PDB file of all heavy atoms in Angstrom:
ATOM      1  N   GLU A  20     -97.204 -79.430  41.958  1.00  0.00           N
ATOM      2  CA  GLU A  20     -96.521 -78.136  42.078  1.00  0.00           C
ATOM      3  C   GLU A  20     -95.242 -78.118  41.247  1.00  0.00           C
ATOM      4  O   GLU A  20     -94.902 -77.105  40.628  1.00  0.00           O
ATOM      5  CB  GLU A  20     -96.214 -77.829  43.548  1.00  0.00           C
ATOM      6  CG  GLU A  20     -97.457 -77.549  44.381  1.00  0.00           C
ATOM      7  CD  GLU A  20     -98.265 -76.379  43.845  1.00  0.00           C
ATOM      8  OE1 GLU A  20     -97.670 -75.338  43.504  1.00  0.00           O
ATOM      9  OE2 GLU A  20     -99.495 -76.513  43.754  1.00  0.00           O
ATOM     10  N   ASN A  21     -94.535 -79.237  41.225  1.00  0.00           N
ATOM     11  CA  ASN A  21     -93.313 -79.347  40.435  1.00  0.00           C
ATOM     12  C   ASN A  21     -93.639 -79.193  38.944  1.00  0.00           C
ATOM     13  O   ASN A  21     -92.930 -78.500  38.214  1.00  0.00           O
ATOM     14  CB  ASN A  21     -92.630 -80.688  40.720  1.00  0.00           C
ATOM     15  CG  ASN A  21     -91.235 -80.757  40.159  1.00  0.00           C
ATOM     16  OD1 ASN A  21     -90.670 -79.752  39.754  1.00  0.00           O
ATOM     17  ND2 ASN A  21     -90.681 -81.949  40.125  1.00  0.00           N
ATOM     18  N   MET A  22     -94.728 -79.830  38.499  1.00  0.00           N
ATOM     19  CA  MET A  22     -95.131 -79.714  37.097  1.00  0.00           C
ATOM     20  C   MET A  22     -95.520 -78.278  36.761  1.00  0.00           C
ATOM     21  O   MET A  22     -95.167 -77.764  35.699  1.00  0.00           O
ATOM     22  CB  MET A  22     -96.287 -80.671  36.797  1.00  0.00           C
ATOM     23  CG  MET A  22     -95.861 -82.123  36.737  1.00  0.00           C
ATOM     24  SD  MET A  22     -97.244 -83.256  36.504  1.00  0.00           S
ATOM     25  CE  MET A  22     -97.867 -82.730  34.931  1.00  0.00           C
ATOM     26  N   LYS A  23     -96.233 -77.608  37.671  1.00  0.00           N
ATOM     27  CA  LYS A  23     -96.595 -76.206  37.456  1.00  0.00           C
ATOM     28  C   LYS A  23     -95.349 -75.341  37.339  1.00  0.00           C
ATOM     29  O   LYS A  23     -95.271 -74.456  36.485  1.00  0.00           O
ATOM     30  CB  LYS A  23     -97.473 -75.696  38.602  1.00  0.00           C
ATOM     31  CG  LYS A  23     -98.879 -76.195  38.587  1.00  0.00           C
ATOM     32  CD  LYS A  23     -99.644 -75.602  39.760  1.00  0.00           C
ATOM     33  CE  LYS A  23    -101.005 -76.237  39.938  1.00  0.00           C
ATOM     34  NZ  LYS A  23    -101.689 -75.725  41.130  1.00  0.00           N
ATOM     35  N   ALA A  24     -94.376 -75.594  38.193  1.00  0.00           N
ATOM     36  CA  ALA A  24     -93.130 -74.818  38.162  1.00  0.00           C
ATOM     37  C   ALA A  24     -92.387 -75.052  36.854  1.00  0.00           C
ATOM     38  O   ALA A  24     -91.858 -74.107  36.262  1.00  0.00           O
ATOM     39  CB  ALA A  24     -92.252 -75.192  39.352  1.00  0.00           C
ATOM     40  N   ARG A  25     -92.359 -76.298  36.387  1.00  0.00           N
ATOM     41  CA  ARG A  25     -91.686 -76.596  35.111  1.00  0.00           C
ATOM     42  C   ARG A  25     -92.398 -75.918  33.944  1.00  0.00           C
ATOM     43  O   ARG A  25     -91.747 -75.396  33.041  1.00  0.00           O
ATOM     44  CB  ARG A  25     -91.606 -78.102  34.880  1.00  0.00           C
ATOM     45  CG  ARG A  25     -90.449 -78.743  35.622  1.00  0.00           C
ATOM     46  CD  ARG A  25     -90.282 -80.146  35.152  1.00  0.00           C
ATOM     47  NE  ARG A  25     -91.475 -80.885  35.560  1.00  0.00           N
ATOM     48  CZ  ARG A  25     -91.479 -82.103  36.048  1.00  0.00           C
ATOM     49  NH1 ARG A  25     -90.365 -82.758  36.170  1.00  0.00           N
ATOM     50  NH2 ARG A  25     -92.595 -82.694  36.393  1.00  0.00           N
ATOM     51  N   ARG A  26     -93.739 -75.936  33.959  1.00  0.00           N
ATOM     52  CA  ARG A  26     -94.487 -75.266  32.890  1.00  0.00           C
ATOM     53  C   ARG A  26     -94.231 -73.758  32.912  1.00  0.00           C
ATOM     54  O   ARG A  26     -94.054 -73.138  31.874  1.00  0.00           O
ATOM     55  CB  ARG A  26     -95.978 -75.565  33.020  1.00  0.00           C
ATOM     56  CG  ARG A  26     -96.384 -76.897  32.433  1.00  0.00           C
ATOM     57  CD  ARG A  26     -97.886 -76.979  32.242  1.00  0.00           C
ATOM     58  NE  ARG A  26     -98.627 -76.769  33.472  1.00  0.00           N
ATOM     59  CZ  ARG A  26     -99.072 -77.728  34.264  1.00  0.00           C
ATOM     60  NH1 ARG A  26     -98.843 -78.986  33.974  1.00  0.00           N
ATOM     61  NH2 ARG A  26     -99.749 -77.438  35.361  1.00  0.00           N
ATOM     62  N   ALA A  27     -94.206 -73.174  34.099  1.00  0.00           N
ATOM     63  CA  ALA A  27     -93.944 -71.734  34.216  1.00  0.00           C
ATOM     64  C   ALA A  27     -92.538 -71.404  33.724  1.00  0.00           C
ATOM     65  O   ALA A  27     -92.334 -70.404  33.025  1.00  0.00           O
ATOM     66  CB  ALA A  27     -94.126 -71.279  35.659  1.00  0.00           C
ATOM     67  N   GLN A  28     -91.583 -72.242  34.063  1.00  0.00           N
ATOM     68  CA  GLN A  28     -90.209 -72.022  33.614  1.00  0.00           C
ATOM     69  C   GLN A  28     -90.130 -72.143  32.091  1.00  0.00           C
ATOM     70  O   GLN A  28     -89.476 -71.335  31.433  1.00  0.00           O
ATOM     71  CB  GLN A  28     -89.264 -73.024  34.267  1.00  0.00           C
ATOM     72  CG  GLN A  28     -87.819 -72.820  33.874  1.00  0.00           C
ATOM     73  CD  GLN A  28     -86.891 -73.835  34.521  1.00  0.00           C
ATOM     74  OE1 GLN A  28     -87.328 -74.881  34.998  1.00  0.00           O
ATOM     75  NE2 GLN A  28     -85.623 -73.532  34.539  1.00  0.00           N
ATOM     76  N   HIS A  29     -90.814 -73.118  31.532  1.00  0.00           N
ATOM     77  CA  HIS A  29     -90.817 -73.299  30.079  1.00  0.00           C
ATOM     78  C   HIS A  29     -91.437 -72.086  29.383  1.00  0.00           C
ATOM     79  O   HIS A  29     -90.917 -71.598  28.378  1.00  0.00           O
ATOM     80  CB  HIS A  29     -91.579 -74.577  29.708  1.00  0.00           C
ATOM     81  CG  HIS A  29     -91.676 -74.799  28.232  1.00  0.00           C
ATOM     82  ND1 HIS A  29     -90.576 -75.111  27.464  1.00  0.00           N
ATOM     83  CD2 HIS A  29     -92.721 -74.723  27.387  1.00  0.00           C
ATOM     84  CE1 HIS A  29     -90.947 -75.224  26.204  1.00  0.00           C
ATOM     85  NE2 HIS A  29     -92.251 -74.992  26.138  1.00  0.00           N
ATOM     86  N   ARG A  30     -92.563 -71.565  29.937  1.00  0.00           N
ATOM     87  CA  ARG A  30     -93.190 -70.372  29.362  1.00  0.00           C
ATOM     88  C   ARG A  30     -92.248 -69.180  29.418  1.00  0.00           C
ATOM     89  O   ARG A  30     -92.121 -68.430  28.458  1.00  0.00           O
ATOM     90  CB  ARG A  30     -94.494 -70.050  30.086  1.00  0.00           C
ATOM     91  CG  ARG A  30     -95.694 -70.786  29.555  1.00  0.00           C
ATOM     92  CD  ARG A  30     -96.998 -70.181  30.044  1.00  0.00           C
ATOM     93  NE  ARG A  30     -97.072 -69.973  31.468  1.00  0.00           N
ATOM     94  CZ  ARG A  30     -97.498 -70.869  32.350  1.00  0.00           C
ATOM     95  NH1 ARG A  30     -97.888 -72.045  31.956  1.00  0.00           N
ATOM     96  NH2 ARG A  30     -97.530 -70.584  33.628  1.00  0.00           N
ATOM     97  N   ALA A  31     -91.582 -69.015  30.543  1.00  0.00           N
ATOM     98  CA  ALA A  31     -90.646 -67.894  30.684  1.00  0.00           C
ATOM     99  C   ALA A  31     -89.512 -68.017  29.678  1.00  0.00           C
ATOM    100  O   ALA A  31     -89.117 -67.024  29.059  1.00  0.00           O
ATOM    101  CB  ALA A  31     -90.098 -67.839  32.109  1.00  0.00           C
ATOM    102  N   GLN A  32     -88.996 -69.217  29.492  1.00  0.00           N
ATOM    103  CA  GLN A  32     -87.923 -69.423  28.519  1.00  0.00           C
ATOM    104  C   GLN A  32     -88.430 -69.161  27.105  1.00  0.00           C
ATOM    105  O   GLN A  32     -87.709 -68.604  26.276  1.00  0.00           O
ATOM    106  CB  GLN A  32     -87.359 -70.835  28.639  1.00  0.00           C
ATOM    107  CG  GLN A  32     -86.546 -71.050  29.880  1.00  0.00           C
ATOM    108  CD  GLN A  32     -86.179 -72.508  30.113  1.00  0.00           C
ATOM    109  OE1 GLN A  32     -86.807 -73.414  29.575  1.00  0.00           O
ATOM    110  NE2 GLN A  32     -85.169 -72.728  30.933  1.00  0.00           N
ATOM    111  N   SER A  33     -89.685 -69.538  26.829  1.00  0.00           N
ATOM    112  CA  SER A  33     -90.268 -69.288  25.514  1.00  0.00           C
ATOM    113  C   SER A  33     -90.372 -67.787  25.256  1.00  0.00           C
ATOM    114  O   SER A  33     -90.057 -67.320  24.164  1.00  0.00           O
ATOM    115  CB  SER A  33     -91.651 -69.925  25.408  1.00  0.00           C
ATOM    116  OG  SER A  33     -91.560 -71.317  25.482  1.00  0.00           O
ATOM    117  N   PHE A  34     -90.831 -67.031  26.265  1.00  0.00           N
ATOM    118  CA  PHE A  34     -90.921 -65.580  26.111  1.00  0.00           C
ATOM    119  C   PHE A  34     -89.535 -64.973  25.915  1.00  0.00           C
ATOM    120  O   PHE A  34     -89.358 -64.086  25.083  1.00  0.00           O
ATOM    121  CB  PHE A  34     -91.618 -64.934  27.305  1.00  0.00           C
ATOM    122  CG  PHE A  34     -93.105 -65.104  27.294  1.00  0.00           C
ATOM    123  CD1 PHE A  34     -93.739 -65.740  28.324  1.00  0.00           C
ATOM    124  CD2 PHE A  34     -93.868 -64.632  26.234  1.00  0.00           C
ATOM    125  CE1 PHE A  34     -95.120 -65.903  28.324  1.00  0.00           C
ATOM    126  CE2 PHE A  34     -95.238 -64.784  26.204  1.00  0.00           C
ATOM    127  CZ  PHE A  34     -95.865 -65.432  27.259  1.00  0.00           C
ATOM    128  N   ASP A  35     -88.557 -65.435  26.677  1.00  0.00           N
ATOM    129  CA  ASP A  35     -87.187 -64.938  26.516  1.00  0.00           C
ATOM    130  C   ASP A  35     -86.695 -65.201  25.100  1.00  0.00           C
ATOM    131  O   ASP A  35     -86.053 -64.347  24.483  1.00  0.00           O
ATOM    132  CB  ASP A  35     -86.241 -65.597  27.520  1.00  0.00           C
ATOM    133  CG  ASP A  35     -86.454 -65.118  28.940  1.00  0.00           C
ATOM    134  OD1 ASP A  35     -87.152 -64.102  29.134  1.00  0.00           O
ATOM    135  OD2 ASP A  35     -85.927 -65.776  29.860  1.00  0.00           O
ATOM    136  N   ARG A  36     -87.007 -66.378  24.586  1.00  0.00           N
ATOM    137  CA  ARG A  36     -86.570 -66.749  23.237  1.00  0.00           C
ATOM    138  C   ARG A  36     -87.241 -65.861  22.186  1.00  0.00           C
ATOM    139  O   ARG A  36     -86.610 -65.413  21.237  1.00  0.00           O
ATOM    140  CB  ARG A  36     -86.895 -68.223  22.983  1.00  0.00           C
ATOM    141  CG  ARG A  36     -86.365 -68.757  21.707  1.00  0.00           C
ATOM    142  CD  ARG A  36     -84.883 -68.837  21.808  1.00  0.00           C
ATOM    143  NE  ARG A  36     -84.361 -69.268  20.529  1.00  0.00           N
ATOM    144  CZ  ARG A  36     -83.095 -69.360  20.287  1.00  0.00           C
ATOM    145  NH1 ARG A  36     -82.237 -69.056  21.222  1.00  0.00           N
ATOM    146  NH2 ARG A  36     -82.680 -69.756  19.139  1.00  0.00           N
ATOM    147  N   ILE A  37     -88.534 -65.610  22.363  1.00  0.00           N
ATOM    148  CA  ILE A  37     -89.261 -64.741  21.435  1.00  0.00           C
ATOM    149  C   ILE A  37     -88.665 -63.340  21.451  1.00  0.00           C
ATOM    150  O   ILE A  37     -88.430 -62.738  20.401  1.00  0.00           O
ATOM    151  CB  ILE A  37     -90.764 -64.705  21.782  1.00  0.00           C
ATOM    152  CG1 ILE A  37     -91.413 -66.041  21.420  1.00  0.00           C
ATOM    153  CG2 ILE A  37     -91.469 -63.551  21.072  1.00  0.00           C
ATOM    154  CD1 ILE A  37     -92.811 -66.214  21.969  1.00  0.00           C
ATOM    155  N   ILE A  38     -88.409 -62.816  22.636  1.00  0.00           N
ATOM    156  CA  ILE A  38     -87.823 -61.477  22.740  1.00  0.00           C
ATOM    157  C   ILE A  38     -86.455 -61.449  22.068  1.00  0.00           C
ATOM    158  O   ILE A  38     -86.146 -60.537  21.310  1.00  0.00           O
ATOM    159  CB  ILE A  38     -87.739 -61.028  24.213  1.00  0.00           C
ATOM    160  CG1 ILE A  38     -89.144 -60.725  24.725  1.00  0.00           C
ATOM    161  CG2 ILE A  38     -86.829 -59.816  24.370  1.00  0.00           C
ATOM    162  CD1 ILE A  38     -89.236 -60.499  26.203  1.00  0.00           C
ATOM    163  N   GLU A  39     -85.656 -62.468  22.320  1.00  0.00           N
ATOM    164  CA  GLU A  39     -84.312 -62.499  21.730  1.00  0.00           C
ATOM    165  C   GLU A  39     -84.361 -62.631  20.211  1.00  0.00           C
ATOM    166  O   GLU A  39     -83.584 -62.002  19.504  1.00  0.00           O
ATOM    167  CB  GLU A  39     -83.487 -63.641  22.329  1.00  0.00           C
ATOM    168  CG  GLU A  39     -82.052 -63.675  21.870  1.00  0.00           C
ATOM    169  CD  GLU A  39     -81.276 -62.395  22.151  1.00  0.00           C
ATOM    170  OE1 GLU A  39     -81.387 -61.849  23.263  1.00  0.00           O
ATOM    171  OE2 GLU A  39     -80.543 -61.936  21.259  1.00  0.00           O
TER     172      GLU A  39
END
Side-chain angles (χ1 to χ4, degrees):
E20 291 302 315
N21 192 12
M22 287 176 62
K23 286 181 189 176
R25 278 191 294 221
R26 278 196 303 265
Q28 182 181 18
H29 178 69
R30 274 195 310 272
Q32 288 171 340
S33 295
F34 283 121
D35 288 347
R36 186 70 184 176
I37 289 168
I38 288 170
E39 185 57 45

